[in-house]
Amino acid sequence: MQAKRGIQRGRPTGATTFEAAPALAFGAAVRAIRTEEGIAQETLAHLAGIERSHMGKIERGEHMPTLSVILKIARALGRSAGELVLETEARLDS
């Protein structure tokens, strides 16, 4: 009889969940909308309920936010998450 294999926590060896192109495109989309609206990065972070340093990393494409953070950012910008995703896709296509 074989022993049951336990659940391995975390990512499999060699796996990555970060892709630079979408992260850069999303960050650029957020920055463009934020500056178009005349909102300071610190203000947007406060409105979204996230740390300003995290917002900076998102805008620079260093972090890919979770869905819940995307929803918070969209709400803070007065947009839908769908609008942010469409803007991100447009930046990826160009």
Side-chain angles (χ1 to χ4, degrees):
M1 189 183 255
Q2 289 183 339
K4 254 188 170 176
R5 191 169 173 196
I7 296 174
Q8 182 179 347
R9 303 237 185 275
R11 288 187 237 167
T13 305
T16 179
T17 58
F18 183 81
E19 291 184 42
L24 289 167
F26 181 80
V30 170
R31 179 177 287 147
I33 294 168
R34 176 180 63 76
T35 56
E36 179 182 295
E37 297 292 326
I39 302 171
Q41 187 181 74
E42 187 172 357
T43 302
L44 178 59
H46 176 73
L47 291 171
I50 63 176
E51 294 289 326
R52 189 218 45 84
S53 61
H54 189 208
M55 181 62 73
K57 290 175 183 176
I58 290 169
E59 285 192 2
R60 290 190 302 274
E62 296 171 4
H63 281 187
M64 177 53 79
T66 62
L67 178 57
S68 63
V69 172
I70 291 170
L71 292 168
K72 288 178 181 182
I73 292 170
R75 191 174 312 116
L77 288 170
R79 308 286 170 100
S80 71
E83 288 177 89
L84 288 181
V85 171
L86 286 173
E87 183 62 31
T88 301
E89 287 179 323
R91 291 172 183 277
L92 282 171
D93 291 342
S94 59

